[in-house]
Amino acid sequence: MFIRIEDLPPWAKIELTKEALLAFADRLRKDGSLMPAREKESEVLTVDEAAEFLNLARQTLYGLTSKRAVPFYKKNKRLYFKKIELLAWVEEGKKKMQREFDDEIVTYLNRNKNNK
C-alpha cells in the first residue's frame, strides 16, 4: 500500500535508510530522471541500449540499420543512436486515431463548401 506524502498528517515522521535512498537515487539515475532535459535529448545509446529502449532484438535493430530504416551513427565500426532521434523515429509511425480522421474530414468539407 502506498501513501502520498501530501496525504500524511503534519505530525508524521518519515524515516529512510541510507540503502533505500541510494537505491532510489540509482533507479532515478538509470531512468534518466535526474539528467537535465538537454542531456536526455542528446543521450547517445549503444546497440544494446537502443535495442532495449525500442524493445527490439539486437539482430532486428542491426537489420533496420542495414536498411537505413532507423537513424544511427557509425564511428570506428561501432553503431550509436541518439535517444531523441529514436523516439522521433518511433513517433513517425504513429497511426491516426478516428477522431483525427473525423477532424480532417470536417476541415476538408468546410474548406470545400466555402470554395463553391
Side-chain angles (χ1 to χ4, degrees), residues 4-43:
R4 296 177 349 152
I5 291 176
E6 296 85 15
D7 296 336
L8 290 173
W11 49 265
K13 182 178 177 182
I14 301 172
E15 291 187 24
L16 293 172
T17 64
K18 181 179 177 181
E19 292 78 21
L21 192 54
L22 288 172
F24 178 70
D26 189 48
R27 195 168 71 238
L28 285 177
R29 197 175 313 108
K30 285 180 181 173
D31 291 345
S33 304
L34 293 180
M35 245 188 252
R38 206 169 176 176
E39 284 183 32
K40 281 186 198 177
E41 290 177 5
S42 62
E43 186 178 359

Side-chain angles (χ1 to χ4, degrees), residues 21-67:
L21 192 54
L22 288 172
F24 178 70
D26 189 48
R27 195 168 71 238
L28 285 177
R29 197 175 313 108
K30 285 180 181 173
D31 291 345
S33 304
L34 293 180
M35 245 188 252
R38 206 169 176 176
E39 284 183 32
K40 281 186 198 177
E41 290 177 5
S42 62
E43 186 178 359
V44 176
L45 305 175
T46 64
V47 172
D48 289 331
E49 292 168 335
E52 183 178 335
F53 176 69
L54 295 170
N55 198 25
L56 295 173
R58 189 174 184 198
Q59 292 309 113
T60 302
L61 185 56
Y62 275 125
L64 290 170
T65 59
S66 69
K67 294 175 188 173

Side-chain angles (χ1 to χ4, degrees), residues 40-116:
K40 281 186 198 177
E41 290 177 5
S42 62
E43 186 178 359
V44 176
L45 305 175
T46 64
V47 172
D48 289 331
E49 292 168 335
E52 183 178 335
F53 176 69
L54 295 170
N55 198 25
L56 295 173
R58 189 174 184 198
Q59 292 309 113
T60 302
L61 185 56
Y62 275 125
L64 290 170
T65 59
S66 69
K67 294 175 188 173
R68 298 195 183 277
V70 64
F72 69 96
Y73 299 85
K74 190 171 185 179
K75 182 78 172 175
N76 298 329
K77 298 182 181 182
R78 290 185 180 252
L79 297 176
Y80 299 96
F81 305 84
K82 282 191 178 178
K83 194 172 191 176
I84 192 78
E85 291 176 354
L86 291 177
L87 190 56
W89 175 75
V90 169
E91 289 173 349
E92 283 175 7
K94 178 184 178 282
K95 303 296 181 203
K96 290 185 181 179
M97 296 184 334
Q98 185 63 47
R99 186 184 73 242
E100 292 171 309
F101 279 119
D102 294 346
D103 291 344
E104 286 180 11
I105 290 170
V106 169
T107 302
Y108 175 80
L109 292 174
N110 286 335
R111 195 175 324 129
N112 287 329
K113 179 175 73 174
N114 294 336
N115 290 336
K116 287 184 180 180

